[in-house]
Amino acid sequence: MRHIAFIGFGEAGTILASELAGLHSVVVWDKKFIGAERDAMLAKAERCGVRAASSLAEALDGAGWVFSTVTAGSALDVAVQSATLMQSGQFFLDLNSVAPDTKRQAARAFAPGVYVDVAVMAPVPPARMKTPLLVGGPQAESVTDVLNQLGFNARYGDTAVGKVSAIKMCRSVMIKGLEALTTECLFAAREYGVEEEVLASLHASFPSLGWDGAFAGYLISRVAEHGVRRSEEMEEVVKTLRDAGGEGMMSQSTVRVQRGLPQQMRERGLDYAGLEPFNWQSLADSLKGR
C-alpha cells in the first residue's frame, strides 16, 4: 500500500483525510478538482496535507484503502467507476448514506471481498475520526480491526452488505426529520412572534434535549448548511422505506424541507459561510426580507 485514497473531498472526506494525513500518505480525488472551484479545492488539499490526484484512476492506483465520501446521489456511479479500476488487495469502503439496496448494487460491481459497507452513525465534524462507524460485508470483521488500528471508532456490524446501512437509513428518518420539523416549526413560530413560548413548551416536554439552549439552532444549521446533500440522503431513505413495503410519506416531506431552505437562501443571495456565527432567528428574518 502506497497510500490511502479518498473519493470526495467535502465535509466528511476533508476531515477524515486530513486526520489520516498526519501519519499516512493520503491522496484525494473530487470532481471539483476539474471545475470552477479547482483553485479553492487544490488550496484546501494543500492545507490539509493531502495530495490532489488528477483523476479517479490516479487516486486509486496503489491505494490499499479507498474511502468513498461523496454525495448520496453520486455514490453508486462512483462505486461502479471505481470497481473497474481497482486491483486485488484493495478495499473500497463506501461511507455514503444510501439505501441498503443501493449498497448491494454497488457491491455487485466489485470482485468478492473488495466492497465494504460502512455506516457513519453521527455527524463527522464534532468527533472527527472518533465518529462511530458500523462496518458490514464479508470482510467486515477484519476491516473493523484495521480501521481501529488507523484511529477510527469502528464497530463490526454484519457480514451482509446493506444491514448496517439499513440501521443508518432508519435512524435518518428521525434525525433528518427532526431537523426539518424544527425548521418548519420555529420559522412559523418566529413569524407569529411566539418562538420563545414554543421553545419553552418543547423544553418542558423534552428537557433532556436542550430546547432551551443551542439544540434548535444546531438542527436548523444542519439544514441551512447541508440541506441539499441531506435531501439526497433522504431520497435514499424514501427508497429504503419503499423497499421495506412502506410509502415514506413523512420522509418525502423531509426531502422537500431539507432542499427547500438552501434554495430559499440562494434566491435571497445568502450563503451559509456568510451567516456564521449562525443564528436561526436572523436567517428567518432575512428570508422574510426583514
Side-chain angles (χ1 to χ4, degrees), residues 30-275:
D30 192 292
K31 63 182 181 180
K32 291 182 179 179
F33 287 164
I34 56 174
E37 299 177 55
R38 172 181 169 79
D39 290 343
M41 292 292 286
L42 293 178
K44 182 170 74 167
E46 185 174 356
R47 289 195 305 271
C48 293
V50 302
R51 179 168 68 85
S54 60
S55 66
L56 175 62
E58 181 186 334
L60 299 185
D61 184 25
W65 295 76
V66 178
F67 292 83
S68 178
T69 52
V70 297
T71 61
S74 301
L76 182 57
D77 287 342
V78 165
V80 172
Q81 292 173 36
S82 299
T84 65
L85 299 168
M86 295 186 67
Q87 301 171 352
S88 62
Q90 294 179 300
F91 289 96
F92 183 91
L93 286 76
D94 191 341
L95 276 67
N96 301 298
S97 298
V98 295
D101 191 56
T102 304
K103 291 276 180 103
R104 288 191 286 266
Q105 289 181 58
R108 287 195 287 269
F110 291 85
V114 174
Y115 182 90
V116 183
D117 180 10
V118 182
V120 182
M121 299 305 294
V124 173
R128 301 177 73 84
M129 278 187 69
K130 295 305 179 183
T131 303
L133 306 176
L134 280 179
V135 185
Q139 304 284 353
E141 195 163 0
S142 59
V143 168
T144 299
D145 291 340
V146 176
L147 286 175
N148 288 327
Q149 290 170 24
L150 289 171
F152 287 95
N153 176 20
R155 184 163 60 89
Y156 166 75
D158 198 87
T159 57
V161 169
K163 188 75 171 285
V164 298
S165 286
I167 298 171
K168 171 65 185 287
M169 290 289 97
C170 292
R171 177 183 183 274
S172 290
V173 173
M174 296 296 294
I175 299 300
K176 293 177 181 65
L178 183 59
E179 294 169 354
L181 284 170
T182 301
T183 300
E184 187 169 80
C185 168
L186 292 185
F187 276 30
R190 178 75 171 174
E191 190 66 15
Y192 283 106
V194 295
E195 68 269 23
E196 291 184 7
E197 291 83 355
V198 169
L199 285 167
S201 177
L202 290 170
H203 179 65
S205 298
F206 306 102
S208 64
L209 293 179
W211 291 107
D212 61 339
F215 183 58
Y218 170 74
L219 293 176
I220 297 173
S221 76
R222 300 299 290 173
V223 182
E225 185 177 11
H226 300 296
V228 174
R229 172 170 60 81
R230 294 165 96 74
S231 70
E232 290 184 4
E233 295 178 11
M234 286 306 298
E235 287 175 337
E236 289 289 321
V237 167
V238 172
K239 182 178 186 304
T240 300
L241 298 172
R242 288 176 173 171
D243 288 345
E247 294 185 41
M249 295 176 65
M250 296 289 288
S251 293
Q252 290 179 59
S253 295
T254 298
V255 171
R256 291 195 290 272
V257 175
Q258 290 277 358
R259 184 170 290 148
L261 179 57
Q263 181 177 349
Q264 292 176 55
M265 290 168 59
R266 284 194 303 273
E267 291 169 353
R268 284 283 182 179
L270 299 173
D271 177 72
Y272 183 82
L275 301 175

